[in-house]
Amino acid sequence: MATLTQTQTSPQLSDATKIKPKENACTSNGSTLGPSNRSAPRKPLAPEKHPVPFEVAGDTDCLIPESVGLGIVKKHYQEQTLTRYFTLYAVGLFAFYYLQSPALRVLGLGLVFPGAGFTAIGTFRSTLAFLLSVIMVPVSLVTWFGIGFALFPVLVYFGSTIGAAYAVGDAPVIDRAGIVWAIVLPLAIYWTKSTAAKNNAIGFSKRSQRNKYVVQAVKDNVENATPAPAPGSRELDLKTLRFMQHIIERGLSDDYGYFDIIDQFREAAIRYQLYGLVDALAIFQTHYAPNFHGYISEACRNSLEKSLTKKVMNYWKWESMLGAFKLNDWDPIKKDNIMVSGYLAVAMGLYQSSSGDRRYLEKDCLEFVIDDGKHYKTDYRGLLQALENNWRENPFCLYPCEPKWTYTLCKINFYFSL
């Protein structure tokens, strides 16, 4: 996603929009003021000694609690997953050793691990097919991780299983393949769980070490915190103003010429650029131009409403079908997808707080356009209600950014929207 920072090169502006310094300034009566008789520039107000706006209520409030890292809900779902897997494992090995049909035997072994059925055929082509299946396992997981297509790992798992059953024909089946998989997979699971337990033990040890100094560290941070600048003392320099001018121009644009268009699934998506514009403009208006609305507010509204259009939101159609397995209901905020409901709610809340504009509280004033004939209406209260509903319904107290993927970091900012 394109970002704008003060350390980047200033955007190139046309000569018509550049502010050129003048050697002489005109007065109201037409005379000029030279550099020697201009009034001295206004000095910024000195920061006042404002109290630090936070404090540590108790010595133990900042300690890492003992419950952190236990993952009771996580363990529950891990145990469920292992139970289901070992069911497939047992059914697959039973089919491999007790059925007569070569195709069904290979099909059963394929349930044990993606592509395992190919190892029971023993030909050169089946070996290549097995290697391809193994390679496709991480590829499918990365695809799921990257664009939310949860269907891909399922296709790799069962596609390789069915492919092996089709490829075996009347060829003899290698019985030793079942023994190898029956031994290797439980050992791999045991090693994985043992490694996780060791890492958890290391984490618990680090927690104890950090709790020895974290209280004093927090107190030092509070005592040494820099007071907030006095109202009216902050001003933007010319370089930063140029960046703000560029951001405003992006917000006011009717097309997407100012935006990086790479893909609509990951961080480069247009929606994140639009949300970021509103965040920056709302903060600028709050701290530097609280009495000005005009085209700043217009740029915010334009960006918010542009984020609802088909060009921006059509990606959710594909994530709904290939990730959430929904063929018709593509409502982008009803279930999961905090990357829209959360980001949009934060941006809209910042705009309303900085401008005082309450138009987005009107019933069904927002309309997501996912595809032709697929429009979903909501409003700011609807966004907040969707956030609350998803948080309450999800056992992790978090809910997915993409279908069936939950990232803790993505949730932190969205609490501010409530």
Side-chain angles (χ1 to χ4, degrees):
M1 178 176 65
T3 55
L4 297 173
T5 62
Q6 294 187 27
T7 58
Q8 292 175 304
T9 306
S10 299
Q12 299 297 321
L13 303 174
S14 63
D15 293 337
T17 58
K18 290 183 178 179
I19 302 175
K20 298 180 180 179
K22 297 181 179 180
E23 289 296 325
N24 296 304
C26 292
T27 62
S28 58
N29 60 6
S31 61
T32 59
L33 293 175
S36 59
N37 55 2
R38 289 180 188 167
S39 59
R42 180 173 63 88
K43 295 182 179 180
L45 300 176
E48 299 176 1
K49 295 296 183 179
H50 295 295
V52 178
F54 56 88
E55 61 181 8
V56 180
D59 291 341
T60 61
D61 287 356
C62 56
L63 293 177
I64 305 172
E66 295 182 358
S67 59
V68 170
L70 294 180
I72 297 175
V73 175
K74 176 192 68 177
K75 289 182 179 179
H76 168 72
Y77 284 100
Q78 286 178 341
E79 291 172 357
Q80 278 193 350
T81 302
L82 281 175
T83 300
R84 292 167 183 168
Y85 170 72
F86 276 115
T87 300
L88 286 176
Y89 173 85
V91 170
L93 290 179
F94 176 85
F96 183 74
Y97 281 108
Y98 290 96
L99 297 181
Q100 298 299 319
S101 169
L104 292 179
R105 293 184 66 190
V106 170
L107 181 69
L109 190 60
L111 295 177
V112 174
F113 187 82
F118 289 112
T119 62
I121 301 175
T123 64
F124 178 73
R125 290 184 177 181
S126 66
T127 302
L128 292 180
F130 168 70
L131 294 176
L132 178 61
S133 300
V134 172
I135 293 172
M136 287 304 298
V137 170
V139 171
S140 65
L141 292 176
V142 170
T143 303
W144 177 16
F145 170 85
I147 57 179
F149 289 0
L151 182 62
F152 281 14
V154 177
L155 291 177
V156 171
Y157 198 115
F158 293 102
S160 61
T161 300
I162 297 172
Y166 177 79
V168 65
D170 296 327
V173 176
I174 302 175
D175 292 334
R176 288 175 296 177
I179 298 175
V180 172
W181 287 107
I183 296 174
V184 169
L185 289 174
L187 290 177
I189 293 173
Y190 174 78
W191 177 83
T192 302
K193 291 179 68 67
S194 299
T195 303
K198 291 178 181 178
N199 291 335
N200 287 338
I202 294 173
F204 294 144
S205 176
K206 287 183 178 180
R207 177 191 63 195
S208 301
Q209 296 173 10
R210 290 169 179 170
N211 279 343
K212 293 179 180 179
Y213 66 82
V214 69
V215 173
Q216 187 59 45
V218 171
K219 287 183 178 179
D220 292 342
N221 286 339
V222 172
E223 293 173 358
N224 298 325
T226 302
S233 64
R234 288 187 285 186
E235 293 186 2
L236 296 180
D237 56 31
L238 182 59
K239 182 178 180 179
T240 309
L241 281 171
R242 288 301 187 199
F243 279 111
M244 293 310 306
Q245 181 180 6
H246 180 63
I247 292 174
I248 292 171
E249 289 177 353
R250 294 181 76 184
L252 293 174
S253 64
D254 294 328
D255 55 25
Y256 298 92
Y258 281 96
F259 297 88
D260 296 328
I261 301 178
I262 301 175
D263 74 275
Q264 301 309 312
F265 295 95
R266 297 300 302 168
E267 290 81 1
I270 299 174
R271 60 186 179 278
Y272 300 134
Q273 300 176 57
L274 292 168
Y275 303 147
L277 288 180
V278 179
D279 295 346
L281 290 175
I283 293 173
F284 166 73
Q285 186 177 41
T286 298
H287 293 290
Y288 296 97
N291 292 328
F292 178 74
H293 296 273
Y295 48 76
I296 293 181
S297 296
E298 182 182 351
C300 288
R301 293 193 301 271
N302 191 42
S303 299
L304 290 170
E305 292 164 16
K306 189 183 291 186
S307 72
L308 310 176
T309 60
K310 177 182 174 180
K311 184 177 182 66
V312 177
M313 290 302 305
N314 185 252
Y315 84 100
W316 188 245
K317 164 187 173 180
W318 303 106
E319 289 203 10
S320 296
M321 291 192 296
L322 300 178
F325 312 127
K326 296 179 180 179
L327 299 180
N328 290 308
D329 186 4
W330 303 335
D331 190 327
I333 67 170
K334 183 170 69 175
K335 182 67 174 177
D336 299 342
N337 199 15
I338 197 173
M339 306 307 286
V340 167
S341 55
Y343 266 98
L344 181 58
V346 170
M348 195 167 290
L350 285 173
Y351 166 69
Q352 292 181 137
S353 299
S354 64
S355 66
D357 188 350
R358 298 294 183 264
R359 70 180 64 200
Y360 296 121
L361 295 176
E362 297 179 8
K363 181 70 173 176
D364 293 338
C365 60
L366 305 173
E367 185 176 59
F368 289 100
V369 181
I370 309 301
D371 203 359
D372 296 338
K374 292 292 184 180
H375 297 205
Y376 299 90
K377 291 188 176 183
T378 188
D379 48 63
Y380 183 62
R381 290 189 179 93
L383 290 174
L384 300 184
Q385 189 62 55
L387 288 169
E388 181 180 352
N389 291 344
N390 277 277
W391 268 316
R392 289 184 183 277
E393 294 171 3
N394 196 288
F396 291 97
C397 299
L398 306 170
Y399 71 92
C401 314
E402 316 290 345
K404 300 175 176 59
W405 269 112
T406 301
Y407 313 101
T408 305
L409 184 61
C410 297
K411 312 298 178 292
I412 295 176
N413 291 336
F414 304 142
Y415 287 105
F416 298 123
S417 63
L418 298 177

